[in-house]
């Protein structure tokens, strides 16, 4: 009965979403407060019912109810509890249910916290959210129903795809979906503004925190996915320019742009039209990501769905929302009044530059992702666009962005002074040059440009630290005064500094891992020792071991540094018995703070040895820690709930006047 | 019936969520939000000034700017007509009626189309418990024994009971695990080892792989007269291309048997095949081990084979090599199915070109790196041919 209640709850939430998508819009158009008021409760109860449906499906997984087809296809009674639960969204139907659950959650949150919004805006925003909800709930019920039942339930399930049986999977999709779906809030605000033909003051105050929230989760989700690929796939790489990864990177790039343009909007009421466009594009790319992953257009681990009906349905949703919103934008954007003006060299100008580079980089990724699909669709030929393409397009677009990044926060609003900024940043720049020299001295091997990459990372990190320090006037006023000023700075300043510092950490990790890693692929016999990045790695042989639903062949390794044993590692080939599918369990040992030894056990060889892949990856952890620091910066900024007013730098005459008063 | 009662309650909650706001009295008219935001902003500028985040010049400039916006918003507000007050509009009443009727209708209608109201929940634990009191199907029996073994994996008798059932159900991998556990816990006997070998052979489409041969050898060592291990070992020899030794083994088996023993027919058939090959027959390319079906395979035509039969030994060898080479070239240039690759590797191994076989295997692994099922097949092949 619980399963059927979940099924009915899902249908009821669709019915509520239908009401929510029509009645408030009519109310807003006719200024009828009662009709507009329908939006809030429907959003709350829609979430209640979707949540109930999700809970019912989770229950079916936990108790291994094999009368539910979805459970049979993706679970196994012997699976550990955590993977029974994560299995709920480890498949197409369940993950779509998670998608709408999060969508409904955001709708409910908007309804709860929007008392101070103008009622028409609130009604329209919630209605637009409901449109998305209707589309996806219909999609689930008609093509991907997770509550399908079997008359003759089997006694055992087919198990979850083994490489998805991992803690990484328990966390990665929910984080990513929080990000994807979070973009729908900004989208709903943008479309609502276009429907009304005006942007309220509250609009800007609302869009930025929602975007920031979505951006935080996107950042964490992508980083988590990247780390998962790093330790689970056993190839030692952390980013493959795989279309599925690109699908998550594109909304991130646009959300980052949106985040920055929303700052301009909130503080200075400028860039309104552009911000609306960014909000639409961020969600459009989230939908595109969902389409690419869910439709089975791409063949990869992620493409659970292979039924073409689903692909066509999602393509329909995509066309409807992207096409519809862009058409609306074309028709109505001219109605939106432009806000404050600013000089080209100013904080606003810097943020515009940031937006241009980010959107251009996103376009490069979009082309690289979609071009092979277009070629295959039109000519039937298969081409692959890989790392070289992205290095040549994405790289040159991101490099100037990174180089200019430390300058932006130093520029004044409305009109800035590059020379003054240069004076404040010369120390950071000098230290960055020192970093290049140090990198040259320490690392003789590797590409010539690598030390400059390290210098770039230092430049970004030092610039990020310099900004709050300068604002606190360290070195200009007594230490105590500066310290007091530092603590008096708004939290959003620290958020910015942290996020930018995180970018620097990530750049350092990427440069170091790319340029100075050591790779050994060889056949090892038990007792053999090889040198790896200054450590000795001894292979001790393998032993079999049995897990709850898998069988391991565990390779034992000893890592020693100058004769002393520093770590004993186990790297395993794991065979999942239900699906007879092998996976690799990589051995990781962190040395120093951020560097890792990476060992993946390969196949047994005839000679009695085993093929082994080993890597020494200097500073590799900085890649993900950088992303973590970026999202912590986001959280810090989000916790700052003050109103934001960007104090403009007045023109000289006015300044003199003000001083004279 | 209970389920319908729950559905009714849920539907009422859903409909009320829509009707309540439609019926509730109006709250204050809207429209003052913009002005409120700008007022708050002015307050924020003062607070920033007090904390020293901005200096006085900046504060004045910011205040001027916000004040300009405030004035504009206040003016706009006067123009905006205030929202209608009073009772529910006619439209609101109509919406309420439509929702109250249509929402339950759509929800129930859709559910009747999609759902199964009578389908009860069937958690595995309660199904297993219920199964013990009712008549027990094989499935239920197996599931119960499996659960018992999951708790007490050292029960060798339990594993042994499962073996023939697994074999009958076609769950060969499980049968292998069960047999290995039986041997580990209850000790090795000729029957158990031989059964293990057979299960492995069936999983490898008839090829006596190294694991299987080891099992048969253990069985043979314990009971040299047991027939099944001897037959499979003889088969293994011919699959390895050691035809003379295989022939000897078959002959020995037939000599030791009475003419009407049931296995003699098959033994004689194998012997005949080997003799045909030794005499230079067409079966040279693939003795006994059934090759996997190759889809869209450009194999030799009947004419080719007929031609091959009238060739000399050397010519025939060259023709086979040519065919393999063309298959190799095609797969390298255009790719192919995993089965085609497997055929290529097998063919190389069969004509003794182990280096080429290994290279082809590596190429195949590369081509199917993303396909776990294919890699598994290739791994099986590598093991079978001990490459």
């Amino acid at each position: 009965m619980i399963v059927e209640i979940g099924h009915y709850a899902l249908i009821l939430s669709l019915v509520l979403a239908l009401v929510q998508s029509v009645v408030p819009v009519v109310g807003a158009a006719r200024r009828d407060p009662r009709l507009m008021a329908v939006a809030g409760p429907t959003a709350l109860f829609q979430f209640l019912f979707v949540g109930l449906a999700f809970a019912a499906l989770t229950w079916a997984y936990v108790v291994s109810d094999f009368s539910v087809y979805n459970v049979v296809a993706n679970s196994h009674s012997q699976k550990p509890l955590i993977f029974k639960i994560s299995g709920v969204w480890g498949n197409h139907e369940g993950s779509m249910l998670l998608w709408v659950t999060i969508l409904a959650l955001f709708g409910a949150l908007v309804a709860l916290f929007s008392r101070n919004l103008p009622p028409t805006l609130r009604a329209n925003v919630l209605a637009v959210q409901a449109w998305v909800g209707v589309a996806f709930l219909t999609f689930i019920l008609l093509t991907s129903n997770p509550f399908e039942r079997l008359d003759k339930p089997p006694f055992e399930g087919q198990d979850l795809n083994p490489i998805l049986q991992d803690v990484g999977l328990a966390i990665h999709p929910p984080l990513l979906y929080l990000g994807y779906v979070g973009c729908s809030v900004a989208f709903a605000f943008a479309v609502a503004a276009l429907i009304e033909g005006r942007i309220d003051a509250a609009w800007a105050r609302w869009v930025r925190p929602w975007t920031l929230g979505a951006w935080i989760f996107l950042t964490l989700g992508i980083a988590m996915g990247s780390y998962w690929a790093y330790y689970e796939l056993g190839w030692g790489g952390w980013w493959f320019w795989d279309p599925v990864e690109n699908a998550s990177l594109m909304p991130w790039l646009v959300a980052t742009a949106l985040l920055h343009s929303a700052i301009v909007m909130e503080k200075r009421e400028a860039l309104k039209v552009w911000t609306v466009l960014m909000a639409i594009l961020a969600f459009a790319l989230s939908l595109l990501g969902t389409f690419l992953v869910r439709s089975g257009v791409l063949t990869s681990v992620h493409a659970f769905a292979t039924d073409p009906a689903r692909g066509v349905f999602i393509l329909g949703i995509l066309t409807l929302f992207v096409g519809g919103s862009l058409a609306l934008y074309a028709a109505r954007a001219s109605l939106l009044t432009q806000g404050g003006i600013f000089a080209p060299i100013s904080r606003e100008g810097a943020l515009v530059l940031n937006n241009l580079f980010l959107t251009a980089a996103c376009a490069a990724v979009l082309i690289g992702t979609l071009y092979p699909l277009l070629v295959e669709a039109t000519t039937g030929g298969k081409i692959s666009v890989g790392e070289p393409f992205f290095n040549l397009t994405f790289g040159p677009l991101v490099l100037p962005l990174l180089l200019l990044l430390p300058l932006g926060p130093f520029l004044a609003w409305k009109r800035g002074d590059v020379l003054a900024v240069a004076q404040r940043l010369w120390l950071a720049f000098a230290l960055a040059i020192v970093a290049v020299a140090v990198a040259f001295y320490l690392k003789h091997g590797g590409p010539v440009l690598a030390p400059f990459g390290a210098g770039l990372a230092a430049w970004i990190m030092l610039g990020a630290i310099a900004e709050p320090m300068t604002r606190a006037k360290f070195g200009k006023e007594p230490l105590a005064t500066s310290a007091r000023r530092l603590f008096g700075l708004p939290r959003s300043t620290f958020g910015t500094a942290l996020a930018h510092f995180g970018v620097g950490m990530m750049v350092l990790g990427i440069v170091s891992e790319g340029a100075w890693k050591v790779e050994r692929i060889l056949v090892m016999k038990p007792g053999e020792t090889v040198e790896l990045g200054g450590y000795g790695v001894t292979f001790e042989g393998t032993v079999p071991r049995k897990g709850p639903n898998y069988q391991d062949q565990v390779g034992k390794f000893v890592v020693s540094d100058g004769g002393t044993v520093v770590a004993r590692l186990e790297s395993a080939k794991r065979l999942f018995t239900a699906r007879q599918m092998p996976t690799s369990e990589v051995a990781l040992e962190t040395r120093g703070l951020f560097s890792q030894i990476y060992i993946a056990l390969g196949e047994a060889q005839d000679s009695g040895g085993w093929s082994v892949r080993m890597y020494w990856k200097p500073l590799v952890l900085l890649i993900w820690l950088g992303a973590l620091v970026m999202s912590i910066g986001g959280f810090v900024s989000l916790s700052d709930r003050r109103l934001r007013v960007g104090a403009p730098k007045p023109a000289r005459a006015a300044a003199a006047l003000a001083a004279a008063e | 019936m209970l389920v319908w009662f729950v559905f009714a309650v849920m539907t009422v909650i859903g409909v009320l969520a829509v009707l309540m706001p439609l019926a509730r009295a109006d709250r204050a008219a809207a429209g003052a939000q913009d002005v409120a935001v700008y007022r708050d902003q002015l307050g924020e500028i003062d607070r920033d000034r007090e904390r020293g985040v901005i200096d006085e010049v900046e504060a004045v400039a910011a205040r001027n700017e916000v004040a300009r916006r405030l004035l504009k918003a206040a003016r706009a507000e006067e123009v905006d007509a205030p929202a209608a007050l009073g009772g529910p509009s006619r439209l609101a009443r109509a919406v309420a009626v439509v929702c109250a009727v249509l929402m339950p209708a759509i929800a129930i209608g859709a559910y009747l189309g999609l759902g199964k109201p009578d389908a009860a929940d069937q958690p595995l634990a309660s199904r297993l418990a219920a199964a013990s009191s009712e008549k027990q199907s094989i499935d239920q029996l197996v599931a119960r024994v499996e659960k018992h073994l999951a708790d007490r994996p050292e029960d060798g008798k339990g594993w042994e009971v499962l073996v023939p059932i697994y074999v009958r159900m076609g769950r060969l991998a499980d049968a292998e695990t069960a047999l290995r556990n039986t041997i580990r816990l209850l000790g090795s006997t000729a029957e158990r080892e031989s059964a293990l070998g057979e299960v492995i052979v069936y999983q490898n489409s008839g090829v006596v792989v190294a694991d299987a041969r080891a099992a048969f050898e253990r069985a043979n060592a314990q009971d040299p007269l047991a027939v099944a291990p001897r037959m499979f070992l003889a088969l293994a020899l011919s699959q390895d291309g050691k035809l003379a030794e295989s022939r000897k083994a078959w002959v020995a088996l037939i000599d030791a048997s009475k003419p009407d023993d049931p296995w003699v027919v098959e033994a004689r058939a194998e012997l005949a095949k080997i003799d045909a090959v030794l005499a230079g027959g067409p079966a040279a390319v693939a003795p006994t081990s059934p090759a996997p079906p190759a889809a869209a395979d450009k194999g030799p035509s009947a004419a080719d084979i007929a031609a091959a039969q009238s060739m000399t030994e050397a010519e025939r060898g060259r023709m086979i090599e040519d065919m393999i080479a063309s298959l190799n070239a095609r797969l390298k240039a255009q790719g192919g199915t995993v089965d085609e690759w497997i055929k290529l590797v097998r063919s190389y191994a069969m004509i003794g070109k182990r280096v080429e076989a290994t290279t082809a295997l590596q190429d195949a692994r590369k081509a199917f790196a993303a396909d776990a099922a294919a890699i598994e097949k290739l791994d099986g092949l590598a093991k079978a041919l001990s490459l």
Side-chain angles (χ1 to χ4, degrees):
Chain A
M1 194 175 81
I2 292 176
V3 175
E4 291 305 309
I5 288 176
H7 197 170
Y8 188 68
L10 195 62
I11 293 171
L12 261 186
S13 69
L14 171 63
V15 173
L16 278 171
L18 279 168
V19 175
Q20 190 191 334
S21 62
V22 178
V23 176
V25 186
V26 177
R30 306 184 56 131
R31 310 246 168 229
D32 187 321
R34 283 197 168 81
L35 293 188
M36 288 193 275
V38 168
T42 45
L44 287 175
F45 281 90
Q46 189 197 329
F47 171 60
L48 183 85
F49 285 126
V50 177
L52 196 62
F54 190 80
L57 185 63
T58 310
W59 179 84
Y61 267 86
V62 170
V63 301
S64 296
D65 186 337
F66 292 128
S67 67
V68 180
Y69 176 70
N70 193 250
V71 181
V72 178
N74 300 292
S75 196
H76 193 279
S77 64
Q78 305 287 312
K79 210 161 57 165
L81 182 64
I82 174 170
F83 296 135
K84 279 184 184 166
I85 295 173
S86 71
V88 176
W89 55 82
N91 62 86
H92 171 76
E93 290 84 356
S95 72
M96 289 319 293
L97 186 60
L98 178 70
W99 208 97
V100 291
T101 308
I102 293 173
L103 183 74
L105 170 71
F106 280 129
L109 288 177
V110 171
L112 276 181
F113 296 111
S114 61
R115 304 267 173 243
N116 56 349
L117 279 185
T120 52
L121 178 62
R122 178 171 190 254
N124 280 329
V125 165
L126 286 173
V128 175
Q129 280 258 318
W131 297 350
V132 182
V134 167
F136 277 92
L137 283 166
T138 314
F139 171 70
I140 291 179
L141 285 170
L142 291 187
T143 72
S144 323
N145 197 330
F147 292 107
E148 219 169 279
R149 302 294 292 270
L150 291 176
D151 286 331
K152 288 196 166 172
F155 271 82
E156 196 48 273
Q158 293 158 10
D159 210 351
L160 178 64
N161 185 343
I163 55 174
L164 299 179
Q165 288 193 30
D166 184 276
V167 188
L169 177 81
I171 314 166
H172 164 63
L175 282 178
L176 208 53
Y177 281 8
L178 280 168
Y180 275 177
V181 181
C183 291
S184 75
V185 179
F187 171 81
F189 269 87
V191 172
L194 290 172
I195 292 174
E196 290 194 38
R198 68 193 208 107
I199 292 185
D200 303 277
W203 197 93
R205 181 163 161 60
W206 265 79
V207 167
R208 207 189 57 92
W210 281 103
T211 311
L212 190 53
W215 177 88
I216 291 170
F217 288 117
L218 264 183
T219 310
L220 287 174
I222 296 172
M224 187 70 232
S226 158
Y227 188 65
W228 174 74
Y230 168 75
Y231 73 72
E232 182 69 23
L233 297 185
W235 289 101
W238 56 274
W239 191 263
F240 301 89
W241 293 110
D242 173 272
V244 173
E245 290 173 321
N246 294 348
S248 64
L249 180 65
M250 290 186 285
W252 185 86
L253 288 168
V254 174
T256 311
L258 170 62
L259 191 64
H260 288 89
S261 77
I263 296 176
V264 179
M265 214 180 127
E266 183 178 6
K267 293 196 161 193
R268 305 279 308 136
E269 297 219 342
L271 294 187
K272 282 183 189 174
V273 180
W274 173 259
T275 306
V276 166
L277 180 62
M278 285 293 109
I280 290 174
L281 287 185
F283 186 59
L285 289 167
S286 298
L287 282 182
L288 180 70
T290 309
F291 167 68
L292 288 179
V293 176
R294 292 283 143 233
S295 65
V297 168
L298 312 165
T299 314
S300 88
V301 181
H302 295 70
F304 312 108
T306 41
D307 182 355
R310 292 172 177 172
V312 172
F313 203 116
I314 302 189
L315 190 61
I317 296 178
L318 183 69
T319 320
L320 189 70
F321 281 97
V322 179
S325 56
L326 288 179
L328 192 65
Y329 179 79
R332 310 274 289 184
S334 54
L335 287 178
L336 304 178
T337 46
Q338 278 292 1
I341 42 165
F342 53 86
I345 293 181
S346 62
R347 182 87 70 89
E348 292 96 322
L351 289 166
V352 168
L353 205 60
N354 148 302
N355 266 243
L356 290 179
F357 279 122
L358 281 171
T359 41
C362 177
V365 178
L366 184 69
I367 291 167
T369 309
L370 292 189
Y371 187 68
L373 296 179
L374 287 179
V375 168
E376 198 184 336
T378 49
T379 69
K382 270 197 183 268
I383 60 163
S384 73
V385 172
E387 211 182 316
F389 170 83
F390 292 103
N391 284 348
L392 284 176
T393 54
F394 188 76
L397 284 167
V398 169
L399 194 65
L401 180 68
L402 293 174
L403 273 172
L404 295 177
L405 190 152
L407 301 177
F410 278 94
L411 284 165
W413 291 103
K414 202 161 181 180
R415 47 183 78 76
D417 182 353
V418 176
L419 261 182
V421 174
Q423 279 169 1
R424 290 182 195 159
L425 271 173
W426 71 267
L427 184 63
F429 193 74
L431 287 174
I433 302 285
V434 173
V436 174
V438 169
F440 258 119
Y441 176 76
L442 286 179
K443 298 278 177 188
H444 301 290
V448 181
L449 282 177
F452 291 100
L456 174 66
W459 163 238
I460 298 171
M461 287 192 275
L462 291 166
I465 299 171
E467 207 261 338
M469 302 289 267
T470 313
R471 286 187 69 175
K473 304 203 166 150
F474 273 98
K476 289 192 180 151
E477 300 203 6
L479 202 59
T481 322
S482 297
R484 196 170 46 74
R485 282 181 63 94
L486 187 67
F487 286 112
L489 287 177
R491 261 176 284 173
S492 63
T493 305
F494 292 111
T496 307
L498 271 172
H500 288 174
F501 191 82
V503 174
M505 288 170 68
M506 196 173 189
V507 171
L508 185 58
I510 292 170
V511 168
S512 170
E513 193 272 341
W516 297 310
K517 70 164 173 245
V518 178
E519 182 175 339
R520 292 237 190 293
I521 300 175
L522 71 175
V523 173
M524 287 182 92
K525 291 192 172 164
E528 215 173 301
T529 302
V530 292
E531 190 270 341
L532 180 77
Y535 294 93
V537 180
T538 310
F539 179 47
E540 290 196 322
T542 63
V543 287
R545 187 181 297 161
K546 193 167 162 49
N549 54 343
Y550 55 80
Q551 182 86 40
D552 271 347
Q553 191 68 27
V554 182
K556 289 183 173 282
F557 295 87
V558 174
V559 179
S560 56
D561 185 5
T564 42
V565 172
V566 291
R568 292 180 176 279
L569 302 179
E570 294 187 347
S571 177
K573 289 233 71 100
R574 181 164 289 181
L575 183 73
F576 282 82
T577 42
R579 289 204 181 190
Q580 285 290 309
M581 221 172 121
T583 66
S584 61
E585 295 295 309
V586 171
L588 290 173
E589 167 72 6
T590 305
R591 304 299 305 165
L593 282 176
F594 310 117
S595 307
Q596 282 196 327
I597 291 171
Y598 182 113
I599 303 177
L601 188 67
E603 305 294 328
Q605 304 293 318
D606 264 355
S607 53
W610 287 73
S611 66
V612 178
R613 273 195 306 279
M614 278 190 261
Y615 302 90
W616 164 246
K617 295 190 166 269
L619 303 186
V620 67
L621 283 182
L622 283 182
I623 296 174
W624 303 290
L625 288 176
L628 191 65
V629 169
M630 280 159 77
S631 50
I632 290 172
F635 272 118
V636 170
S637 184
L638 198 59
S639 74
D640 185 356
R641 288 305 297 142
R642 297 171 315 123
L643 288 161
R644 310 289 167 78
V645 186
K649 188 178 167 79
R652 257 183 214 131
L657 200 68
E661 274 173 358
Chain B
M1 236 27 239
L2 179 65
V3 75
W4 285 108
F5 177 72
V6 177
F7 287 175
V9 172
M10 287 163 67
T11 316
V12 169
I13 292 174
V15 173
L16 281 182
V18 177
L19 295 191
M20 293 288 276
L22 285 174
R24 223 179 319 175
D26 287 333
R27 275 166 294 176
Q33 273 82 3
D34 273 9
V35 174
V37 170
Y38 291 129
R39 272 192 214 292
D40 287 348
Q41 284 192 349
L42 283 177
E44 195 64 50
I45 294 171
D46 290 340
R47 278 194 291 281
D48 274 359
R49 178 71 199 96
E50 274 163 38
R51 292 164 71 191
V53 176
I54 51 176
D55 60 28
E56 187 58 37
V57 179
E58 285 176 323
V60 169
R63 249 182 242 131
N64 285 344
E65 217 175 57
V66 174
R68 271 201 296 278
R69 289 178 199 147
L70 177 63
L71 281 175
K72 211 164 130 198
R75 234 174 282 141
E77 209 167 274
E78 282 166 28
V79 178
D80 251 0
L85 286 169
S89 63
R90 219 181 309 159
L91 181 63
R93 276 194 205 123
V95 168
V97 172
V98 170
C99 286
V101 175
L102 278 190
M103 283 176 67
I106 295 176
I108 300 288
Y111 180 76
L112 286 178
L114 295 168
K116 283 194 178 170
D118 305 329
D121 293 327
Q122 305 209 20
L124 189 61
S126 60
R127 281 169 68 201
L128 292 176
S132 64
S133 59
E134 294 169 13
K135 67 180 166 57
Q136 300 184 341
S137 74
I138 298 258
D139 278 10
Q140 288 165 339
L141 197 73
V142 170
R144 276 185 59 213
V145 178
E146 278 173 347
K147 189 150 173 48
H148 162 81
L149 286 172
D151 295 337
R152 293 179 50 201
E154 299 305 301
D155 181 0
K157 282 255 161 55
W159 289 110
E160 189 152 42
V161 166
L162 280 178
V163 173
I165 305 173
Y166 277 146
V167 172
R168 217 175 313 148
M169 292 166 80
R171 292 168 62 179
L172 296 176
D174 289 325
E176 185 188 337
T177 314
L179 267 167
R180 285 192 190 281
N181 283 327
T182 310
I183 292 170
R184 179 169 59 82
L185 297 165
L186 301 181
S188 166
T189 67
E191 286 83 26
R192 287 175 189 149
E193 295 287 2
S194 176
L196 174 63
E198 280 186 60
V199 167
I200 299 173
V201 169
Y202 294 146
Q203 286 180 81
N204 289 283
S205 25
V207 177
V208 186
V209 294
D211 260 12
R213 193 167 57 192
F216 289 127
E217 275 163 359
R218 287 193 294 273
N220 190 244
Q222 295 187 40
D223 181 2
L225 292 179
V227 176
R230 291 176 67 185
M231 287 181 75
F232 277 101
L233 287 171
L235 194 59
L237 286 171
S238 68
Q239 285 175 352
D240 284 350
K242 299 171 181 163
L243 295 182
E245 288 171 58
S246 174
R247 188 175 193 288
K248 220 189 286 168
W250 286 116
V251 170
L253 183 65
I254 294 169
D255 287 350
S257 313
K258 280 178 242 141
D260 54 350
D261 277 334
W263 56 84
V264 171
V265 180
E266 202 188 327
R268 282 193 197 287
E270 288 295 330
L271 193 59
K273 266 193 239 172
I274 292 170
D275 285 339
V277 174
L278 287 175
V285 177
T288 21
S289 76
D297 180 29
K298 297 190 192 104
S301 65
D304 288 342
I305 293 174
Q309 270 161 344
S310 60
M311 285 178 191
T312 65
E313 194 69 50
E315 280 172 336
R316 194 180 302 123
R318 209 172 311 127
M319 183 186 123
I320 291 167
E321 275 188 52
D322 285 348
M323 284 193 310
I324 297 174
S326 75
L327 179 63
N328 184 27
R330 181 167 65 84
L331 289 180
K332 270 201 175 140
Q334 305 163 15
T337 65
V338 67
D339 287 334
E340 285 175 313
W341 280 101
I342 288 176
K343 185 179 161 93
L344 178 67
V345 175
R346 259 187 209 287
S347 308
Y348 271 134
M350 216 58 89
I351 58 172
K353 295 200 164 177
R354 296 186 65 80
V355 179
E356 281 85 342
T358 314
T359 323
L361 188 64
Q362 277 163 357
D363 288 344
R365 280 219 175 98
K366 245 178 255 160
F368 292 93
D371 183 349
I375 287 293
E376 196 187 326
K377 270 193 189 172
L378 292 170
D379 287 347
L381 177 71
K383 216 192 252 173
L385 300 173
S386 49
L387 282 174

